[in-house]
Amino acid sequence: MTSQRHTDDDLLDAARDCVVEVGVRRTTLTDVAKRAGVSRMTLYRRFPDVSALVRTLMTREFTALLHGVEHDQAPGNARERLVGHATAAIRLLAGNALMRRVLDLDAELMLPYLVERLGSTQRLVERFLVDQLRAGHQDGSVRRGDPRAQARLVLLTTQALVLSVRPATTDLDFDDLVDELARYLDAALT
């Protein structure tokens, strides 16, 4: 347990600063402890290694970002709100300094979430999408289907744009792609 003076958020903030500055591979627990103003043992008691620290950091960072989008009361029917939330989340994630740095320097860290398993943040997004799709089924704005399957496809489609933003935008404008994705999602769910 960390001391009263240093919360987990303090430690994660220090880790975020280190990762944004030098990337995940070059971030050490020693550097994070120094930046947070704690001993290495204080940090080690809470996070056994950099991987655990970075996983916790990314979950905190992206969950907070997505909660902000989720609680935005967008106008329109359930489908329009879902599409609006999805595109807002993409814009925020693609512009997030931590996400950009990980994708620029340590993109292979994202590979397990593409080919092996869904992470906790992806599960959170999926639960939100299922709720939105069910609301769309009820108000008639989303075509009937298995909301879990629909949610999984929306998740996979949208995360592909976030994770491949660099190659996707080599010769196309990011905003044009997000606008096209909005039309794509809207048509797919109608």
Side-chain angles (χ1 to χ4, degrees):
M1 188 162 133
T2 60
S3 75
Q4 295 286 16
R5 291 182 27 225
H6 301 286
T7 66
D8 283 354
D9 280 333
D10 293 333
L11 302 176
L12 293 172
D13 289 344
R16 183 187 194 283
D17 292 345
C18 286
V19 170
V20 169
E21 186 176 309
V22 299
V24 174
R25 280 190 297 248
R26 294 186 56 208
T27 293
T28 67
L29 288 180
T30 300
D31 293 337
V32 173
K34 190 180 299 181
R35 191 175 290 252
V38 300
S39 71
R40 284 188 327 190
M41 286 313 298
T42 297
L43 188 58
Y44 277 110
R45 278 192 290 272
R46 181 62 185 97
F47 301 101
D49 55 36
V50 171
S51 294
L53 179 63
V54 169
R55 278 193 309 274
T56 304
L57 168 64
M58 292 177 78
T59 297
R60 180 195 73 161
E61 184 93 1
F62 303 139
T63 298
L65 184 144
L66 295 169
H67 273 305
V69 169
E70 178 181 353
H71 289 82
D72 177 29
Q73 298 300 319
N77 61 40
R79 185 188 71 252
E80 292 165 339
R81 286 191 305 274
L82 185 153
V83 170
H85 286 135
T87 55
I90 288 168
R91 290 179 198 283
L92 288 172
L93 284 166
N96 180 275
L98 178 62
M99 176 64 84
R100 282 195 326 264
R101 195 58 160 177
V102 168
L103 291 175
D104 286 346
L105 297 179
D106 304 294
E108 72 281 356
L109 295 176
M110 303 307 288
L111 192 57
Y113 305 107
L114 296 173
V115 299
E116 292 176 14
R117 67 183 182 283
L118 294 178
S120 58
T121 304
Q122 290 164 304
R123 294 280 184 197
L124 174 75
V125 170
E126 198 169 57
R127 285 191 300 274
F128 169 76
L129 291 171
V130 166
D131 290 344
Q132 294 299 300
L133 290 160
R134 286 184 175 139
H137 294 162
Q138 286 191 319
D139 75 9
S141 64
V142 174
R143 66 175 168 74
R144 291 277 175 194
D146 178 350
R148 294 172 316 137
Q150 290 173 321
R152 182 71 49 90
L153 285 175
V154 171
L155 170 69
L156 294 174
T157 302
T158 55
Q159 89 175 10
L161 183 54
V162 171
L163 297 177
S164 62
V165 70
R166 190 182 321 160
T169 58
T170 55
D171 58 351
L172 294 171
D173 181 72
F174 176 72
D175 290 325
D176 290 344
L177 285 170
V178 175
D179 292 344
E180 187 59 35
L181 179 65
R183 288 187 287 276
Y184 178 85
L185 292 173
D186 188 68
L189 296 171
T190 300

